[in-house]
Amino acid sequence: MRFSTVFEWLAWINQIHFTEMDLGLDRVKKVAQVLDVLSFDCPVIIVGGTNGKGSTVAGLEAIYQAAGYRTGVFTSPYLFTYNEQIRVNGCAVENDSSIINAFEKIDSARGETTLTPFEFTTLAALLIFKLQRLSDGLDVLILEVGLGGRLDAVNVIDADVAVVTSIGIDHVEWLGDTREKIGFEKAGIFRGGKFAVCGDQEPPVSLIEYAEEVQARLYCQGRDFKYEETDDGWLFCSKGSWSKLSRLSRLSRLSNWRNWSSDFKRFINFFMGPRRFGYPTVLAGCARWEPSLSLRPIKKFINRLKSLRSVKAAGKNLKSLSFVKVMEKYLKSSSLRGARRATKQSMQRSFSSYGHLPVNTLAVQNMSTVLMTITLLQDRLTVSEIAIRQGLLDVNLPGRLQVVPGDITYIYDVSHNPDAVKWLFQKLRELPCKGKTRAIFSMLADKDIRACLDMIKNKIEEWHVAPLMVKRAASLMQLKEVFQQADIKHVIFYDVIKTAHEAARQEAVSGDRIVVFGSFHTLSQVLGNKV
């Protein structure tokens, strides 16, 4: 045994390769072959992208667990402990001996091959999952890309579904300085004949062309699946069902909802939540029809309801008729008989729709990407609508718009590039604050700090800034220069984040909020110091 503790192993692992980051698959694949961790007999989902990777992984994990499946999850970086990057059935690997055992096997298998810290960690996760699969079993693996995709260590595995959440400008020295260049690198996790999902509303041409080149089965946000936020939640649709569900969703949001008759509410809710009230299966399929199918009978019925002078009148008319008899009348039409067969076919082609979905603290766009991924794997991992709803309620991801209420509200967010900071800015506008908004902030030197500051400076009234205690940290001098360039006046600089946090906490009064952001390391150092 080379070392007896995880800490000792990590200190050694961090120095065996000549550089901390060295993208490429040759070395790590060679060792993975010796360890026999290049394939798994359960579905594997790989999640890449500029922003939203962690949210998407957390959403998938929560929903699959709610459905009763055993999950293995690898994610990075970590906030507190190394072990939290490797999770089995929702729990971080608690036993250090499992990680030490994996390190020993990797060290033995690598021979003269040197590995970066991330490559070592990736192999450790795969080895732990392989052993778990052989013992207690795992039903699905969810792996998060570290950086880029094409040359990332995680990409030694062939994914059954490869997900790219978004494409933004970040890590330009490694991935390129345009969305097209970065999109190509992210798309490198796609595989021929396998499913690929892109959650970006405007995917780069390079990503689409790469998918076509390798013949991946690509599903894109806005083209193959969509979402819509509503007053009482959000809606999700894949493929041709969107226009039908969108039309019905507008009906469901008409005013005076509380005064509508219970039958009319049941009619609307029926279409928004198929099968909820046990009506005939064919009607549940109407929210999944393709554009080519006739909706004339349903349109006729809806137009009749809309033509009534008032909602109250609609309720009265529905009460005077047998609701089931009215629907049975339309079930007898030839187009609906044909739709019965088409409904089954559309479901087989991964058409799906859900209404009134619960909102959590994570971006709905990412949760929409989660549902598309789950839809594509329904033939191997069946997930009910109940499990989806429960998973969306259960999902928890520390450091992603994590709001801790109190006399002084804390908001923790790991946003560390312009796109992520823009999303944080939008959320700060939505969240009320009676007092001042104060920030505890720091970033890594290779980030676009100026663009991030310009994006959010109008929502921050007082800044507490200090360098991070990591190799890639922006120095105090660099931070002062960029704040001066951004023309931010109300800023106080400190030597370390701990001091910045203590000062911000002492100056804050009831009604204020403290926003901690800029890096995983910023949150880690603040939360580690929080009393």
Side-chain angles (χ1 to χ4, degrees):
M1 180 183 292
R2 189 183 290 272
F3 302 105
S4 60
T5 67
V6 171
F7 180 81
E8 291 173 325
W9 270 102
L10 293 178
W12 177 75
I13 288 169
N14 283 326
Q15 63 183 5
I16 63 171
H17 197 63
F18 69 94
T19 181
E20 183 180 355
M21 294 175 63
D22 186 14
L23 296 180
L25 300 182
D26 291 342
R27 290 173 293 103
V28 67
K29 191 169 186 177
K30 178 181 177 181
V31 181
Q33 287 174 333
V34 177
L35 294 169
D36 190 26
V37 293
L38 284 177
S39 62
F40 291 84
D41 57 359
C42 65
V44 177
I45 303 169
I46 292 182
V47 181
T50 304
N51 295 306
K53 296 191 297 293
S55 299
T56 302
V57 168
L60 289 166
E61 180 183 29
I63 291 174
Y64 278 127
Q65 285 187 333
Y69 292 112
R70 296 163 294 185
T71 59
V73 172
F74 172 56
T75 185
S76 64
Y78 60 90
L79 282 176
F80 302 111
T81 65
Y82 180 88
N83 300 33
E84 68 192 57
Q85 296 176 105
I86 306 170
R87 297 197 297 273
V88 175
N89 294 327
C91 299
V93 176
E94 296 181 357
N95 192 346
D96 284 357
S97 63
S98 297
I99 295 177
I100 293 172
N101 181 53
F103 284 163
E104 289 176 350
K105 292 181 182 298
I106 296 166
D107 188 28
S108 175
R110 71 181 182 86
E112 298 299 318
T113 303
T114 60
L115 300 168
T116 66
F118 183 76
E119 290 167 347
F120 234 99
T121 301
T122 301
L123 290 171
L126 295 176
L127 192 53
I128 289 172
F129 295 150
K130 176 69 75 171
L131 295 175
Q132 182 73 27
R133 177 73 180 161
L134 294 175
S135 57
D136 299 332
L138 289 174
D139 299 310
V140 59
L141 291 187
I142 308 166
L143 312 176
E144 180 184 347
V145 170
L147 191 152
R150 183 173 64 92
L151 300 176
D152 186 84
V154 171
N155 200 31
V156 297
I157 302 296
D158 293 330
D160 295 283
V161 183
V163 181
V164 174
T165 57
S166 66
I167 297 92
I169 306 298
D170 201 2
H171 302 292
V172 294
E173 70 278 20
W174 297 100
L175 307 178
D177 57 0
T178 67
R179 292 184 77 246
E180 290 298 329
K181 293 177 182 178
I182 295 172
F184 174 79
E185 295 295 333
K186 303 288 185 187
I189 62 176
F190 296 167
R191 295 293 191 271
K194 300 291 187 178
F195 292 120
V197 179
C198 180
D200 198 294
Q201 298 278 13
E202 299 178 356
V205 174
S206 60
L207 180 142
I208 296 174
E209 289 181 344
Y210 185 89
E212 293 174 350
E213 180 183 342
V214 300
Q215 297 183 332
R217 301 164 67 182
L218 179 62
Y219 291 74
C220 290
Q221 182 90 250
R223 184 190 72 181
D224 303 296
F225 64 101
K226 298 182 181 181
Y227 69 92
E228 177 184 331
E229 297 185 64
T230 63
D231 293 337
D232 59 347
W234 61 285
L235 319 172
F236 168 83
C237 278
S238 62
K239 289 196 177 286
S241 61
W242 177 250
S243 61
K244 312 324 180 271
L245 190 60
S246 180
R247 189 182 304 118
L248 289 167
S249 75
R250 288 194 292 272
L251 281 176
S252 75
R253 294 195 299 273
L254 291 175
S255 59
N256 298 322
W257 170 256
R258 285 178 297 179
N259 296 325
W260 289 14
S261 77
S262 59
D263 279 337
F264 195 68
K265 289 181 185 179
R266 285 159 67 89
F267 172 75
I268 295 299
N269 279 330
F270 168 67
F271 283 98
M272 300 305 298
R275 301 183 301 280
R276 183 178 298 174
F277 295 103
Y279 292 104
T281 303
V282 63
L283 278 176
C286 76
R288 296 186 172 88
W289 287 348
E290 296 179 75
S292 60
L293 295 177
S294 172
L295 280 172
R296 194 169 299 167
I298 298 298
K299 285 181 179 177
K300 183 177 178 182
F301 186 68
I302 292 175
N303 287 335
R304 179 189 170 198
L305 293 176
K306 291 169 68 175
S307 69
L308 296 174
R309 290 186 177 181
S310 67
V311 172
K312 186 175 181 180
K316 185 176 180 181
N317 275 271
L318 278 174
K319 284 181 179 178
S320 66
L321 298 172
S322 167
F323 186 78
V324 175
K325 286 183 178 180
V326 171
M327 302 314 293
E328 286 177 344
K329 173 183 177 181
Y330 290 101
L331 281 171
K332 294 177 181 178
S333 70
S334 60
S335 61
L336 281 177
R337 285 198 299 270
R340 187 178 287 111
R341 292 188 296 271
T343 296
K344 294 180 180 179
Q345 295 172 0
S346 68
M347 291 176 69
Q348 292 172 358
R349 289 195 296 271
S350 301
F351 287 18
S352 187
S353 59
Y354 305 100
H356 298 308
L357 293 169
V359 175
N360 50 47
T361 60
L362 306 179
V364 173
Q365 182 172 334
N366 294 330
M367 296 303 99
S368 173
T369 303
V370 166
L371 294 193
M372 186 68 248
T373 304
I374 287 172
T375 298
L376 294 174
L377 286 176
Q378 281 282 24
D379 60 334
R380 298 180 66 182
L381 298 169
T382 303
V383 178
S384 69
E385 185 173 341
I386 294 175
I388 287 172
R389 295 178 183 280
Q390 188 60 51
L392 290 172
L393 290 172
D394 292 344
V395 64
N396 177 47
L397 188 61
R400 274 67 162 191
L401 199 72
Q402 181 182 352
V403 180
V404 182
D407 289 339
I408 300 169
T409 299
Y410 274 83
I411 299 177
Y412 301 98
D413 195 84
V414 297
S415 51
H416 53 271
N417 56 53
D419 287 342
V421 172
K422 179 181 179 181
W423 187 76
L424 174 60
F425 170 77
Q426 293 170 344
K427 293 302 177 181
L428 290 179
R429 286 196 307 180
E430 297 171 8
L431 296 171
C433 177
K434 296 180 180 178
K436 282 187 175 182
T437 298
R438 308 170 190 268
I440 301 173
F441 174 84
S442 193
M443 269 191 170
L444 300 178
D446 53 10
K447 301 298 180 181
D448 193 345
I449 304 175
R450 172 66 189 278
C452 292
L453 294 181
D454 288 341
M455 191 69 66
I456 201 171
K457 63 183 180 182
N458 291 334
K459 288 303 297 180
I460 306 294
E461 295 161 271
E462 183 178 284
W463 296 78
H464 298 264
V465 181
L468 297 166
M469 294 184 291
V470 294
K471 291 180 181 179
R472 293 164 55 204
S475 68
L476 185 58
M477 182 65 70
Q478 288 174 305
L479 291 169
K480 287 182 177 180
E481 287 178 0
V482 73
F483 269 85
Q484 185 177 4
Q485 293 168 3
D487 195 29
I488 297 176
K489 306 297 184 184
H490 301 287
V491 54
I492 307 169
F493 294 97
Y494 307 86
D495 291 329
V496 293
I497 284 291
K498 178 180 180 181
T499 308
H501 175 216
E502 291 173 348
R505 188 170 56 185
Q506 290 174 3
E507 293 185 20
V509 298
S510 181
D512 287 356
R513 64 182 176 189
I514 297 176
V515 183
V516 184
F517 75 106
S519 171
F520 276 87
H521 302 288
T522 309
L523 269 66
S524 179
Q525 292 178 25
V526 168
L527 290 169
N529 181 50
K530 197 172 189 304
V531 178

